Amino acid sequence: MATRSIVILVIIAAIALAVPPFLPRSVVDLLVFSCIYSIAGLGVGLLLGQCGIANLGQSVFYALGAYATAYMTVTLGVGAAWGFLTGVILSGLIALVIGWPVLRLTGHFLALATLALGIVANALFYEWDWLTHGSLGFGGIPKLNIFGLVIDTPLRFYYLAGAVLALCLLASANLIGSRTGLMLRAMRDAPEAAKSLGVNAQWLRTRIFILSAIFGSIAGSLFAHYGSFVNVQSFGIEKAIAFLIIPVLGGATSLPGVVIGALFTTLVPEMLTRFGDLHQVLFGLTLMATVVLMPSGLMGGLASLSRYMTARGRA
Amino acid sequence: MRRIDRTRLVAAASGLALLGVVGPVAAQTNASDPIKIGVILPLTGAGAGLGIPSRNGILLAEKQINAAGGIKGRKIKVVIEDDTTNPDAALNKANNLIFGEKVVALVGPIQTANTVAVGGITAPVKFPQVALGGLGPAVELERKCVFHAAPPQNQNARAMLAYAKSLGVKNAAALYDSGYGTVVWNQLSKFAGEYGIKFGVTEKFEIAATDTTPQAAKIRASQPDAIFVIGVTGVPVRAIRQLQMKQPIIAAIGQATYEIVKSMGDAAEGVVFPEFLVPEDPLPHQKAFVDAYKAEYGRAPKSIESIAYDALKAMSQAIGKAGPEAGNEAICAAMRGPYSGNSTEYDFSAPDMTGIKLNGFIYSKLVGGHFNRLPFKNAE
């Protein structure tokens, strides 16, 4: 990694660690959601950026993580770790079973298949109220307790979720930088050539789909502990779209872009609520403007800006 | 030099962005400042049909309280936040109102999910809150500072069953949606036996369904004595009448709004609702509210507006009783007890945190697009 990149990374990490204690609680709360959504969005970003797959089913795994945590901690009364673990195993298995046949599809057929997965799962979450508590939802999910420290304020949760996000980013960076990452990009950019070199495209895609599902599940479990409540309304198709927007907006091939995308999708709507009923329209227009003006995402836009300023400076 | 300029630029941009997010710092409070009460409502999204009328009821209550001198000489100021019908957003708005705006109490949200999510913040610090929906999951029974201005779903179900029993209904059918409808249906099925009613065909439909004819057709085949309809749109009632089914329809309070009734068209004729306010024929104590509402907004209010109006008035009364600076627990304690609302008689010390009795319901029947108050009254 270049020295410049390391310096930027250190500065960003220092800001992320030092500034939140001085921010209002409601802003820290938004940062918590940014971290949680970044983790879920990271999974979608890996699929989109590295495999070229538009996944509209991430809300399913997000829900599985949340419900697994709710069921294990509230109904069975076992420790939080069991909730995380159950969610991850369940999500991984379902991703394997569904991903293997579905990931044979390509392009918009694949996107539609993942959308169908989200719709079907949401209907089941409503129907299976013996398991999900349907419209009433699961309440009383305990706050996380790590070595005696109860994570019961947005600030504490921010540091926890931030740490989990950092680990997920690190794992993803390692993956992208590895031989597997190279195969993924080869498969995305030149599928026939990759196949001729012995890359098993379907199994590779399935593995990333499983990883994406695991990230979604971890995010869902964190969400359940943070809000202490899960309800089917939190896992609708609009959530799946939000998770897809995050990497699209930030820059699908960029890991920091996912974080920027998540910050954008949590902070900007909040800022726009000051405009009352118009805020959703304004957010839509902002999204459109961003995508049109920065087709390679916010990270791509920032990179272009940096290049422009450097060139101007030289001139 | 170039490097320094760029750094300055980034710092300035970050600062501006941060200011945009953080917003103005809340001013220090003193005795002459208005007492701030936070309100969280779904003003956009799927719940806006409930949130917007509720806001009207709350603003009318604020106006009347201030016109009458406020609380102990201090005016009140409601700070309204839109939860966009999203529990995650409701959580954030509650954090902002309680810890940012430093409101002394909360009114809202309406939806169960949003209320329970916000209760996760208010309950641990015993922050006084009146939700505008009924009691939700069991965890809410432990939250002794989260009061409810609307009846719990078991009371809604019993109110519907009691009326059906008065009609001599033995075999009933139910058509309910996958959200609110399912919650009420669970209670209907639980208590039906107590009222001597047996449910035959019961059909569920998606909340956003625009056609429920297939479900209605199955009900038609079973020839029930009456049909219970629970949803938040006029779609199921329309489907029933389009299939020429003449049985009485008993619908839940959530559909008793002018907008939904209008969407039912001619199919609305004869539908009965257990609810709390019939503006065409209000109870004597409700007349002043109906007149004031009409004068303010140029249209008649319904139960939703009345419940929201009651919620703010009840909370303001509790703040007045405890004192605005008395603290969370004292205001909660002042809130616990009977309250004569415009909608009905409450007892916020009841285990269900609302205390609405069955005889507190009134019944309306739609005739020619207008709500007509029925003489039927439950014995408690």
Side-chain angles (χ1 to χ4, degrees), chain B residues 223-246:
Chain B
Q223 291 297 310
D225 301 332
I227 305 164
F228 289 68
V229 178
I230 315 116
V232 288
T233 68
V235 171
V237 169
R238 238 177 18 232
I240 290 168
R241 293 301 188 221
Q242 273 168 2
L243 291 174
Q244 307 300 317
M245 297 161 75
K246 306 285 185 201

Side-chain angles (χ1 to χ4, degrees), chain A residues 4 19 23-27 29-30 33 37 62 122-123 126-129 133 135-140 143 154 223 226-229 231 233-234 239 267 270-271 273-274 276-280 306 309-310 312-314, chain B residues 2-3 6 9 17-24 43-45 52 55 81-82 84-88 91-93 95-96 99 111-114 116-117 120-121 135-137 139 143 178-180 182-183 186 204 206-207:
Chain A
R4 192 179 167 213
V19 172
L23 294 174
R25 188 171 162 135
S26 57
V27 178
D29 179 73
L30 288 173
F33 277 108
Y37 292 170
Y62 183 69
N122 192 248
Y126 266 115
E127 294 292 330
W128 291 351
D129 55 2
H133 295 198
S135 308
L136 278 184
F138 255 111
K143 296 291 178 192
F223 164 72
Y226 183 61
S228 294
F229 176 70
N231 179 283
Q233 284 178 26
S234 293
K239 189 72 85 192
L267 298 180
E270 173 55 31
M271 290 158 74
T273 53
R274 294 170 191 186
D277 297 350
L278 267 179
H279 81 268
Q280 284 173 325
S306 172
M309 287 176 77
T310 309
R312 251 192 97 180
R314 279 183 191 144
Chain B
R2 281 199 310 268
R3 206 170 278 275
R6 206 180 304 156
L9 192 71
L18 205 60
L19 276 175
V21 174
V22 174
L43 299 175
T44 51
I52 292 167
R55 178 175 60 184
E81 290 276 18
D82 175 14
T84 65
T85 324
N86 176 349
D88 305 357
L91 208 63
N92 179 256
K93 301 299 183 182
N95 269 318
N96 182 39
F99 301 101
Q111 279 90 1
T112 304
N114 300 22
V116 183
I121 299 173
L135 188 81
V139 68
R143 296 178 171 175
S178 54
Y180 163 69
T182 306
V183 182
N186 288 340
K204 195 183 205 176
E206 284 302 311
I207 297 174

Side-chain angles (χ1 to χ4, degrees), chain B residues 39-60:
Chain B
V39 175
I40 302 175
L41 294 171
L43 299 175
T44 51
L50 297 170
I52 292 167
S54 297
R55 178 175 60 184
N56 291 347
I58 285 168
L59 290 175
L60 179 62

